[in-house]
Amino acid sequence: MKNRILSHRSERGAAMLEVALTLPMLLLVCVGIFEFGRAYQTWQVLTNAAREGARVAVLPSSKKADVEDRVKDYLQGGELGKWADADVDVNQNATISIGASNAKASIVTVDYPFSFMVLDGVVRLVSPASTAGEDFTMSASAEMRKESQ
């Protein structure tokens, strides 16, 4: 009887130790999935904002300010927290090659400062001297041919 009780206690202790070792890794994987999902969603919003800007940029009477306003409105609508810090580069006089000929086009590039929320803190716990926590720049670009030449 006494051996059964001791055996049962040691099994409970082993199970608690296994949980204590695997739970942090499982949580880190889950947080990583959420963080990289958020990064991918942000990149998608940037790409679509650049496309919207390129659509405005090819209009005959559009100005650089119109393109920048459209991009920033799209970023704000995409609920990006730092939308005002985005850098929008507009080139309405670009030339792109289409087969053997060239065509006039507009190119819009959007740069956005992005930082991870939870993973930065985890990295700083493991390595306090790391540069985690600093924003890195996500970039998306779109080009569109001008139909009226």
Side-chain angles (χ1 to χ4, degrees), residues 39-55 71 74-75 80 108-112 138-144:
Y40 184 72
Q41 185 261 345
T42 299
W43 181 73
Q44 285 292 325
V45 171
L46 288 179
T47 301
N48 290 338
R51 286 184 191 140
E52 288 294 318
R55 285 187 182 116
V71 169
Y74 196 92
L75 293 176
L80 297 185
V108 177
T109 304
V110 182
D111 295 325
Y112 180 77
M138 279 190 168
S139 185
S141 183
E143 64 182 37
M144 218 167 262

Side-chain angles (χ1 to χ4, degrees), residues 129-148:
S130 74
T131 58
E134 296 178 6
D135 290 344
F136 69 92
T137 303
M138 279 190 168
S139 185
S141 183
E143 64 182 37
M144 218 167 262
R145 185 179 79 154
K146 293 184 180 182
E147 294 295 327
S148 59

Side-chain angles (χ1 to χ4, degrees), residues 1-59:
M1 181 81 159
K2 189 174 183 182
N3 286 340
R4 284 187 187 169
I5 294 172
L6 290 176
S7 172
H8 187 61
R9 284 185 187 166
S10 66
E11 287 177 14
R12 259 194 308 185
M16 287 178 59
L17 182 62
E18 290 171 1
V19 169
L21 291 175
T22 58
L23 188 61
M25 289 186 287
L26 180 64
L27 290 175
L28 185 63
V29 168
C30 289
V31 167
I33 290 169
F34 290 125
E35 288 279 64
F36 284 103
R38 192 175 68 84
Y40 184 72
Q41 185 261 345
T42 299
W43 181 73
Q44 285 292 325
V45 171
L46 288 179
T47 301
N48 290 338
R51 286 184 191 140
E52 288 294 318
R55 285 187 182 116
V56 172
V58 296
L59 296 174

